[in-house]
Amino acid sequence: GANYVPMIQGAHVGVGISGQEGLQAVNNADYAIAQFRFLAPLLLVHGLSNYRRTSKLVCHMFYKNVLQAMLTFWTATLNHMSGTKIVVDYAASMVYAVLYTAAPVILLGTWDRDVEPETALRAPRLYRSGPDDRDFNRVV
């Protein structure tokens, strides 16, 4: 109900459950579910896969940018710091943008599945990888 609206708005991710009290909580939430029993799949299945995918993509984008900077420095060194561009053609820069930026996001979002949803629901300990920073930390 309306009593939960400040708590939902103050949370990192607010989940509203529609019920008899009205739709104030649902309207102010990031995610809305119809029944309380949908909370476990939302957290354990979708939360787990979203965290792991986001961790992989952040690491991919970071290392992609490091590689691009190193490639620029290496090319400048080989060209005796003459200011020659690495990619001269506009079409080549578009191919780069698609291959190294858009394609990993699309492929990871559609094909990445580490555990089946039933396994994630039966083994909630898998969810601990998020709070324990096992997938996204300084070492990775």
Side-chain angles (χ1 to χ4, degrees):
N3 296 338
Y4 299 112
V5 170
M7 182 176 57
I8 289 173
Q9 289 177 341
H12 291 286
V13 177
V15 178
I17 302 171
S18 60
Q20 301 293 331
E21 296 86 24
L23 297 177
Q24 291 90 358
V26 171
N27 289 336
N28 288 289
D30 298 315
Y31 294 97
I33 56 177
Q35 297 175 1
F36 192 74
R37 66 184 174 100
F38 297 137
L39 187 59
L42 178 66
L43 290 175
L44 298 177
V45 176
H46 300 291
L48 175 68
S49 64
N50 184 33
Y51 173 74
R52 288 188 175 170
R53 288 176 184 164
T54 302
S55 298
K56 288 178 184 178
L57 284 176
V58 166
C59 291
H60 168 76
M61 295 298 171
F62 175 75
Y63 290 119
K64 174 189 69 90
N65 290 335
V66 168
L67 182 66
Q68 183 180 9
M70 290 175 63
L71 180 64
T72 302
F73 181 73
W74 181 66
T75 304
T77 303
L78 290 178
N79 291 327
H80 304 290
M81 304 297 177
S82 65
T84 305
K85 293 181 180 179
I86 296 173
V87 179
V88 180
D89 190 11
Y90 179 73
S93 67
M94 292 301 293
V95 169
Y96 169 80
V98 169
L99 285 180
Y100 292 108
T101 305
V105 173
I106 293 169
L107 292 174
L108 191 65
T110 54
W111 296 104
D112 182 48
R113 182 185 293 182
D114 35 330
V115 295
E116 294 294 324
E118 295 81 19
T119 307
L121 287 172
R122 278 186 272 127
R125 67 184 176 276
L126 295 173
Y127 189 75
R128 286 296 315 163
S129 67
D132 292 344
D133 289 333
R134 281 186 240 143
D135 295 322
F136 187 67
N137 54 34
R138 293 180 186 187
V139 177
V140 174

